[in-house]
Amino acid sequence: MQNIFDKNTAIASRRPGLRKTAVQIALFAFFALLLLSSKRLGASLAQSDAALSPMWWNDRVFYEIFIRSFRDSDGDGIGDLQGIIERVDYLNDGDPATSNDLGVTGIWLMPPAEAHSYHGYDVTDYYAVEPDYGTIDDLKRLIEVAHERGIAVIVDMVVNHSSSRHPWFVASRLGEEAYDDWYIWADEDPGYAGPWGAIAWHRAGGRYYYGVFWDGMPDLNYLNPAVTREMYDIATFWLREIGVDGFRLDAIKHLIEVGERQENTPESRQWLSDYEAHLESVKSNSFTVGEIFNGPSFIVSRYVAERAIDIGFDFKLSEEMISAAQSGSNRNIGRAHRNAMRDYPRNQFATFLTNHDQDRLINRLLQDVGRNKVAASLLLTGPGVPFLYYGEEIAMAGSKPDERIRSPMQWENSTSAGFSDGEDLWQPLQDAQNLSYANIAGQTADPDSLLSHYRQLIHLRNAHSALRRGELTAVDSSQRGVYAFLRHDEEQTLLVVINLDDAAAIDFSLSLDESDLSLGNASLVYGSGAIASPRINTGGGFDGYQPLHQLAPQSMIIIEF
């Protein structure tokens, strides 16, 4: 058993010979029991239709995988489905007796369908798997082994556009009657740009077609019922024939344009609501998470409220978590959490730090592992459904262009990073300095590593229902560098206290004016130190509560009342 006690990274780095204290040893034993319970939870989350309960996604931590970059099984330098199968135990091995897996209970596969470009978002055949990745049988096998370990599997469904090389568009461009209006055509250039100022209308065959992202990805025309019927059939194929548990829906704020209004139209939400109803008719409790890029919570929540999607990614909350980790201040993160809890149905939103379209977290946080730990603490103790981008848990680097934020997974510090047995990788690895630290083999045995921190927190979340499904109540802090909140449900009440700063928080105090929760005796669930219980005020809350004298830099404690 490793990596299950919380240590002060800053102090340990100055005193390499620091021995475990009696408190740490006790915590070691406690977290061994916690890990066992979290493993049992993951193993119990079977994936048959009968086992999927409403809002089962709230009990999950999802892991986003770019198949091309996760693991190459055949030495051609390109990641594939068999490579994920070979390494699925890293994500969750389903064995309660082990402690060195990540503990995630959901996988999001970036587009597995056949496509023209390396990234997969310009689909050429919605009914086929990209040959670089393997076969439909390989994908079915991956889903089978994931389900055996209690891992749900969702895939990217690209509904807004296809590739310009898709047979539908080729026929439409030629004016073939059956496909002529499957895309959005104009005889003359409408003369307006896309929503972010880029060219949106592209000339082809004497006409102009609409492609909001680029000319290689023409937008589908959902005012044509035949297109909708086809997308329904495609969804049915993936849910019923392939066996996926749901979809990450790409670029959904662009589905249906109304004149020059090109984002977030009521028509788009209505189409998605009908699509969602179809998915439910095919597979009860199938899951959809939508990308409404850069939308604040009150915009994204409309899609959820209108049953257009189950949950949506909250980009504003993502930015505020990163900002809090970077600045060491609680100034804005509390407001972002409160807005999310106000705007969405309870916990029906997706949280994340970065994804495949953004510079990697370690680059955003100036190569500071401590700040990465703070961001991870915010992500995995906060409300919503967390998503983790592959390699984020080991501080993999990467900044745009896009290929460089999607580079091969770094399994070990070697020539090919353990990604491939071949030498000609589809994309070069990150620089040697990053690889020397950001690799799984090197971090696995280090209890202070970022990987160990992620493992602890994911298993902690799996073990505590209040972290997965609970409400959030803000707690005032006397110091701006300390962020505190309650997570509570019908079963338990937890107080999360995070030192966002890179200096120790000394003699800080916490206050809660009133509460109807039971806030009596305090016991430590995570972290280290001698914890005091609060004195309850007349409103049922507490004033000037000092759970402990000092909170180490960029560390966290969790208290159960």
Side-chain angles (χ1 to χ4, degrees):
M1 180 72 183
Q2 298 169 334
N3 312 331
I4 308 301
F5 50 87
D6 183 37
K7 297 176 72 175
N8 177 354
T9 302
I11 293 175
S13 66
R14 292 193 294 270
R15 297 174 60 190
L18 188 65
R19 297 180 180 274
K20 300 180 180 69
T21 65
V23 171
Q24 289 171 325
I25 293 171
L27 284 171
F28 181 93
F30 172 80
F31 279 109
L33 294 175
L34 182 152
L35 177 61
L36 182 61
S37 65
S38 71
K39 289 279 196 168
R40 286 173 176 163
L41 172 70
S44 70
L45 295 173
Q47 293 304 302
S48 66
D49 284 344
L52 290 177
S53 62
M55 297 184 292
W56 54 266
W57 44 88
N58 283 108
D59 290 320
R60 308 285 170 155
V61 175
F62 283 88
Y63 189 86
E64 179 188 0
I65 295 177
F66 183 35
I67 304 170
R68 186 172 296 271
S69 282
F70 195 66
R71 166 64 184 163
D72 168 26
S73 70
D74 58 12
D76 66 356
I78 298 173
D80 47 49
L81 294 164
Q82 183 58 40
I84 302 175
I85 293 171
E86 291 176 358
R87 298 300 173 94
V88 71
D89 284 347
Y90 164 75
L91 302 174
N92 190 328
D93 62 13
D95 183 355
T98 60
S99 61
N100 58 356
D101 65 343
L102 194 55
V104 298
T105 46
I107 293 173
W108 156 22
L109 296 177
M110 288 170 62
E114 185 174 309
H116 173 64
S117 298
Y118 83 94
H119 50 69
Y121 287 97
D122 52 350
V123 177
T124 55
D125 188 345
Y126 285 91
Y127 295 95
V129 165
E130 168 57 44
D132 284 345
Y133 298 160
T135 67
I136 284 178
D137 285 341
D138 292 330
L139 181 55
K140 288 181 177 179
R141 178 58 184 156
L142 170 59
I143 294 170
E144 180 183 2
V145 299
H147 286 176
E148 288 171 356
R149 290 155 176 77
I151 305 172
V153 180
I154 65 172
V155 299
D156 245 310
M157 181 59 69
V158 186
V159 288
N160 179 70
H161 50 263
S162 75
S163 170
S164 60
R165 302 193 180 206
H166 196 291
W168 301 339
F169 185 76
V170 173
S172 184
R173 178 175 176 168
L174 293 173
E176 293 184 14
E177 183 177 356
Y179 292 97
D180 188 48
D181 60 350
W182 276 50
Y183 297 84
I184 303 166
W185 291 94
D187 291 332
E188 302 292 336
D189 186 351
Y192 59 85
W196 52 87
I199 295 172
W201 291 93
H202 313 280
R203 185 176 177 86
R207 296 187 294 169
Y208 292 85
Y209 66 92
Y210 183 80
V212 69
F213 289 101
W214 68 299
D215 61 2
M217 299 195 304
D219 282 40
L220 289 157
N221 177 20
Y222 285 111
L223 299 181
N224 179 353
V227 179
T228 293
R229 287 194 299 270
E230 183 65 30
M231 294 309 291
Y232 281 15
D233 288 346
I234 290 166
T236 299
F237 170 79
W238 283 88
L239 289 171
R240 187 173 291 163
E241 175 65 22
I242 305 300
V244 301
D245 298 299
F247 304 112
R248 181 263 189 184
L249 299 176
D250 180 63
I252 58 174
K253 70 177 182 177
H254 300 291
L255 284 183
I256 299 176
E257 294 74 29
V258 180
E260 294 187 37
R261 185 179 177 187
Q262 301 169 72
E263 297 180 316
N264 299 312
T265 63
E267 290 80 359
S268 291
R269 294 194 296 275
Q270 183 59 58
W271 188 91
L272 285 163
S273 181
D274 295 340
Y275 182 75
E276 179 79 13
H278 171 73
L279 302 184
E280 284 295 305
S281 73
V282 174
K283 189 170 189 175
S284 178
N285 292 323
S286 58
F287 172 50
T288 53
V289 54
E291 181 204 25
I292 302 98
F293 184 71
N294 276 347
S297 60
F298 72 88
I299 289 180
V300 180
S301 65
R302 293 191 64 180
Y303 287 80
V304 180
E306 296 177 24
R307 301 183 66 84
I309 51 177
D310 290 314
I311 64 174
F313 288 104
D314 194 313
F315 282 80
K316 176 62 175 176
L317 180 53
S318 165
E319 288 301 312
E320 294 300 353
M321 286 190 287
I322 295 172
S323 177
Q326 187 169 32
S327 67
S329 170
N330 65 15
R331 180 186 293 272
N332 296 319
I333 181 60
R335 182 186 301 114
H337 270 149
R338 290 192 298 273
N339 288 347
M341 297 301 284
R342 176 199 67 201
D343 291 340
Y344 297 98
R346 181 170 168 177
N347 286 307
Q348 298 313 299
F349 55 96
T351 58
F352 68 104
L353 296 171
T354 63
N355 64 25
H356 60 276
D357 288 322
Q358 300 167 316
D359 286 354
R360 288 232 178 224
L361 185 63
I362 193 70
N363 295 73
R364 298 281 304 276
L365 294 178
L366 308 178
Q367 310 300 320
D368 189 318
V369 174
R371 290 175 177 175
N372 276 250
K373 288 184 177 181
V374 168
S377 296
L378 290 168
L379 176 71
L380 292 165
T381 62
V385 181
F387 284 71
L388 169 64
Y389 186 41
Y390 83 95
E392 199 163 72
E393 74 275 22
I394 55 171
M396 265 183 65
S399 57
K400 285 178 177 286
D402 286 346
E403 292 86 345
R404 299 306 295 149
I405 56 179
R406 304 167 185 171
S407 58
M409 183 69 163
Q410 296 172 181
W411 296 96
E412 62 189 34
N413 185 11
S414 66
T415 303
S416 64
F419 163 72
S420 174
D421 294 332
E423 297 180 357
D424 187 16
L425 308 187
W426 85 270
Q427 182 70 202
L429 301 172
Q430 295 299 321
D431 62 67
Q433 183 177 1
N434 181 249
L435 178 59
S436 66
Y437 171 78
N439 69 86
I440 291 164
Q443 292 192 29
T444 289
D446 179 3
D448 290 327
S449 70
L450 184 61
L451 176 59
S452 294
H453 187 64
Y454 269 97
R455 284 172 170 164
Q456 293 168 32
L457 294 184
I458 293 172
H459 289 301
L460 186 78
R461 189 179 183 96
N462 289 345
H464 291 276
S465 61
L467 295 178
R468 302 192 308 273
R469 292 178 175 253
E471 295 279 5
L472 181 145
T473 298
V475 173
D476 292 329
S477 168
S478 64
Q479 295 184 16
R480 183 158 289 172
V482 175
Y483 181 49
F485 51 91
L486 295 171
R487 297 298 311 280
H488 50 94
D489 63 4
E490 297 77 9
E491 298 181 16
Q492 59 185 176
T493 297
L494 301 176
L495 173 64
V496 179
V497 186
I498 305 173
N499 184 2
L500 307 171
D501 204 352
D502 58 5
I506 301 173
D507 291 332
F508 67 93
S509 62
L510 308 175
S511 301
L512 180 65
D513 290 341
E514 59 183 9
S515 176
D516 58 2
L517 300 169
S518 177
L519 302 173
N521 293 331
S523 60
L524 194 64
V525 170
Y526 180 88
S528 61
I531 298 298
S533 296
R535 288 186 178 181
I536 307 304
N537 62 25
T538 57
F542 43 76
D543 302 307
Y545 174 40
Q546 291 184 286
L548 75 177
H549 171 64
Q550 178 173 311
L551 187 58
Q554 298 172 325
S555 69
M556 176 177 68
I557 58 171
I558 300 179
I559 295 168
E560 182 170 12
F561 294 111

